[in-house]
mmCIF file of all heavy atoms in Angstrom:
data_model
loop_
_atom_site.group_PDB
_atom_site.id
_atom_site.type_symbol
_atom_site.label_atom_id
_atom_site.label_comp_id
_atom_site.label_asym_id
_atom_site.label_seq_id
_atom_site.Cartn_x
_atom_site.Cartn_y
_atom_site.Cartn_z
ATOM 1 N N SER A 77 10.466 -69.475 -109.197
ATOM 2 C CA SER A 77 10.034 -68.183 -109.719
ATOM 3 C C SER A 77 10.844 -67.695 -110.929
ATOM 4 O O SER A 77 10.280 -67.355 -111.976
ATOM 5 C CB SER A 77 10.097 -67.131 -108.610
ATOM 6 O OG SER A 77 9.733 -65.864 -109.111
ATOM 7 N N GLN A 78 12.164 -67.667 -110.786
ATOM 8 C CA GLN A 78 12.995 -67.127 -111.879
ATOM 9 C C GLN A 78 12.887 -67.974 -113.141
ATOM 10 O O GLN A 78 12.869 -67.450 -114.260
ATOM 11 C CB GLN A 78 14.448 -67.030 -111.422
ATOM 12 C CG GLN A 78 14.689 -65.935 -110.385
ATOM 13 C CD GLN A 78 16.159 -65.769 -110.053
ATOM 14 O OE1 GLN A 78 16.966 -66.656 -110.308
ATOM 15 N NE2 GLN A 78 16.515 -64.625 -109.491
ATOM 16 N N VAL A 79 12.813 -69.282 -112.975
ATOM 17 C CA VAL A 79 12.691 -70.176 -114.133
ATOM 18 C C VAL A 79 11.335 -69.966 -114.814
ATOM 19 O O VAL A 79 11.236 -69.888 -116.046
ATOM 20 C CB VAL A 79 12.864 -71.649 -113.702
ATOM 21 C CG1 VAL A 79 12.687 -72.573 -114.909
ATOM 22 C CG2 VAL A 79 14.210 -71.857 -113.041
ATOM 23 N N PHE A 80 10.287 -69.871 -114.000
ATOM 24 C CA PHE A 80 8.938 -69.663 -114.532
ATOM 25 C C PHE A 80 8.869 -68.352 -115.318
ATOM 26 O O PHE A 80 8.341 -68.294 -116.435
ATOM 27 C CB PHE A 80 7.921 -69.655 -113.386
ATOM 28 C CG PHE A 80 6.486 -69.758 -113.820
ATOM 29 C CD1 PHE A 80 5.859 -70.991 -113.910
ATOM 30 C CD2 PHE A 80 5.761 -68.622 -114.157
ATOM 31 C CE1 PHE A 80 4.530 -71.100 -114.306
ATOM 32 C CE2 PHE A 80 4.439 -68.710 -114.562
ATOM 33 C CZ PHE A 80 3.825 -69.951 -114.634
ATOM 34 N N GLN A 81 9.416 -67.287 -114.721
ATOM 35 C CA GLN A 81 9.402 -65.976 -115.379
ATOM 36 C C GLN A 81 10.208 -66.007 -116.683
ATOM 37 O O GLN A 81 9.823 -65.393 -117.671
ATOM 38 C CB GLN A 81 9.972 -64.914 -114.442
ATOM 39 C CG GLN A 81 9.065 -64.575 -113.272
ATOM 40 C CD GLN A 81 7.801 -63.849 -113.712
ATOM 41 O OE1 GLN A 81 7.837 -63.060 -114.648
ATOM 42 N NE2 GLN A 81 6.687 -64.133 -113.064
ATOM 43 N N LYS A 82 11.332 -66.752 -116.705
ATOM 44 C CA LYS A 82 12.157 -66.826 -117.914
ATOM 45 C C LYS A 82 11.410 -67.570 -119.035
ATOM 46 O O LYS A 82 11.503 -67.200 -120.210
ATOM 47 C CB LYS A 82 13.475 -67.525 -117.609
ATOM 48 C CG LYS A 82 14.510 -67.445 -118.740
ATOM 49 C CD LYS A 82 15.846 -67.986 -118.309
ATOM 50 C CE LYS A 82 16.907 -67.722 -119.387
ATOM 51 N NZ LYS A 82 16.568 -68.234 -120.707
ATOM 52 N N GLU A 83 10.670 -68.588 -118.641
ATOM 53 C CA GLU A 83 9.885 -69.329 -119.639
ATOM 54 C C GLU A 83 8.872 -68.396 -120.325
ATOM 55 O O GLU A 83 8.646 -68.471 -121.530
ATOM 56 C CB GLU A 83 9.146 -70.487 -118.971
ATOM 57 C CG GLU A 83 10.047 -71.594 -118.455
ATOM 58 C CD GLU A 83 10.463 -72.575 -119.545
ATOM 59 O OE1 GLU A 83 9.698 -72.739 -120.497
ATOM 60 O OE2 GLU A 83 11.569 -73.147 -119.452
ATOM 61 N N LEU A 84 8.287 -67.493 -119.533
ATOM 62 C CA LEU A 84 7.335 -66.524 -120.087
ATOM 63 C C LEU A 84 8.045 -65.489 -120.958
ATOM 64 O O LEU A 84 7.645 -65.225 -122.109
ATOM 65 C CB LEU A 84 6.590 -65.811 -118.955
ATOM 66 C CG LEU A 84 5.649 -66.636 -118.065
ATOM 67 C CD1 LEU A 84 5.147 -65.795 -116.899
ATOM 68 C CD2 LEU A 84 4.471 -67.177 -118.875
ATOM 69 N N GLN A 85 9.125 -64.916 -120.419
ATOM 70 C CA GLN A 85 9.804 -63.817 -121.113
ATOM 71 C C GLN A 85 10.469 -64.273 -122.409
ATOM 72 O O GLN A 85 10.449 -63.541 -123.408
ATOM 73 C CB GLN A 85 10.842 -63.194 -120.177
ATOM 74 C CG GLN A 85 10.227 -62.468 -118.994
ATOM 75 C CD GLN A 85 11.241 -62.110 -117.930
ATOM 76 O OE1 GLN A 85 12.449 -62.262 -118.130
ATOM 77 N NE2 GLN A 85 10.764 -61.666 -116.773
ATOM 78 N N ASP A 86 11.051 -65.471 -122.432
ATOM 79 C CA ASP A 86 11.741 -65.943 -123.632
ATOM 80 C C ASP A 86 10.796 -66.092 -124.819
ATOM 81 O O ASP A 86 11.228 -66.092 -125.975
ATOM 82 C CB ASP A 86 12.426 -67.288 -123.357
ATOM 83 C CG ASP A 86 13.660 -67.137 -122.490
ATOM 84 O OD1 ASP A 86 14.079 -65.980 -122.264
ATOM 85 O OD2 ASP A 86 14.196 -68.162 -122.034
ATOM 86 N N ARG A 87 9.501 -66.242 -124.521
ATOM 87 C CA ARG A 87 8.509 -66.437 -125.593
ATOM 88 C C ARG A 87 7.511 -65.284 -125.667
ATOM 89 O O ARG A 87 6.499 -65.389 -126.349
ATOM 90 C CB ARG A 87 7.764 -67.756 -125.360
ATOM 91 C CG ARG A 87 8.688 -68.980 -125.371
ATOM 92 C CD ARG A 87 7.974 -70.231 -124.885
ATOM 93 N NE ARG A 87 8.838 -71.400 -124.934
ATOM 94 C CZ ARG A 87 9.729 -71.711 -123.973
ATOM 95 N NH1 ARG A 87 9.823 -70.939 -122.901
ATOM 96 N NH2 ARG A 87 10.487 -72.773 -124.091
ATOM 97 N N SER A 88 7.783 -64.212 -124.945
ATOM 98 C CA SER A 88 6.888 -63.035 -124.930
ATOM 99 C C SER A 88 5.453 -63.418 -124.583
ATOM 100 O O SER A 88 4.486 -62.899 -125.153
ATOM 101 C CB SER A 88 6.922 -62.306 -126.283
ATOM 102 O OG SER A 88 8.215 -61.862 -126.584
ATOM 103 N N ILE A 89 5.316 -64.348 -123.651
ATOM 104 C CA ILE A 89 3.979 -64.770 -123.212
ATOM 105 C C ILE A 89 3.497 -63.836 -122.104
ATOM 106 O O ILE A 89 4.209 -63.590 -121.129
ATOM 107 C CB ILE A 89 4.018 -66.224 -122.669
ATOM 108 C CG1 ILE A 89 4.462 -67.183 -123.768
ATOM 109 C CG2 ILE A 89 2.659 -66.627 -122.119
ATOM 110 C CD1 ILE A 89 4.743 -68.600 -123.258
ATOM 111 N N VAL A 90 2.290 -63.316 -122.272
ATOM 112 C CA VAL A 90 1.685 -62.474 -121.234
ATOM 113 C C VAL A 90 0.732 -63.332 -120.416
ATOM 114 O O VAL A 90 -0.251 -63.860 -120.940
ATOM 115 C CB VAL A 90 0.920 -61.282 -121.852
ATOM 116 C CG1 VAL A 90 0.223 -60.477 -120.754
ATOM 117 C CG2 VAL A 90 1.859 -60.403 -122.649
ATOM 118 N N LEU A 91 1.043 -63.501 -119.143
ATOM 119 C CA LEU A 91 0.183 -64.261 -118.226
ATOM 120 C C LEU A 91 0.018 -63.413 -116.972
ATOM 121 O O LEU A 91 1.001 -63.119 -116.282
ATOM 122 C CB LEU A 91 0.827 -65.604 -117.879
ATOM 123 C CG LEU A 91 0.056 -66.478 -116.876
ATOM 124 C CD1 LEU A 91 -1.307 -66.887 -117.423
ATOM 125 C CD2 LEU A 91 0.869 -67.731 -116.513
ATOM 126 N N SER A 92 -1.201 -63.001 -116.696
ATOM 127 C CA SER A 92 -1.416 -62.112 -115.548
ATOM 128 C C SER A 92 -2.717 -62.476 -114.851
ATOM 129 O O SER A 92 -3.624 -63.080 -115.445
ATOM 130 C CB SER A 92 -1.450 -60.646 -116.001
ATOM 131 O OG SER A 92 -2.520 -60.438 -116.902
ATOM 132 N N PHE A 93 -2.805 -62.067 -113.582
ATOM 133 C CA PHE A 93 -3.975 -62.376 -112.766
ATOM 134 C C PHE A 93 -4.382 -61.136 -111.979
ATOM 135 O O PHE A 93 -3.537 -60.305 -111.626
ATOM 136 C CB PHE A 93 -3.666 -63.527 -111.799
ATOM 137 C CG PHE A 93 -3.201 -64.771 -112.484
ATOM 138 C CD1 PHE A 93 -1.839 -65.003 -112.685
ATOM 139 C CD2 PHE A 93 -4.111 -65.696 -112.959
ATOM 140 C CE1 PHE A 93 -1.404 -66.145 -113.331
ATOM 141 C CE2 PHE A 93 -3.683 -66.838 -113.612
ATOM 142 C CZ PHE A 93 -2.336 -67.065 -113.799
ATOM 143 N N THR A 94 -5.681 -61.003 -111.707
ATOM 144 C CA THR A 94 -6.187 -59.867 -110.946
ATOM 145 C C THR A 94 -7.299 -60.331 -110.004
ATOM 146 O O THR A 94 -7.934 -61.368 -110.253
ATOM 147 C CB THR A 94 -6.786 -58.777 -111.867
ATOM 148 O OG1 THR A 94 -7.842 -59.360 -112.648
ATOM 149 C CG2 THR A 94 -5.733 -58.169 -112.757
ATOM 150 N N ALA A 95 -7.491 -59.564 -108.951
ATOM 151 C CA ALA A 95 -8.604 -59.834 -108.034
ATOM 152 C C ALA A 95 -9.456 -58.584 -107.918
ATOM 153 O O ALA A 95 -8.959 -57.487 -107.673
ATOM 154 C CB ALA A 95 -8.092 -60.245 -106.661
#
Side-chain angles (χ1 to χ4, degrees):
S77 178
Q78 289 186 341
V79 178
F80 193 92
Q81 289 291 325
K82 190 172 188 305
E83 292 278 332
L84 294 173
Q85 292 168 9
D86 287 350
R87 299 169 178 83
S88 300
I89 299 171
V90 176
L91 177 63
S92 62
F93 303 92
T94 58

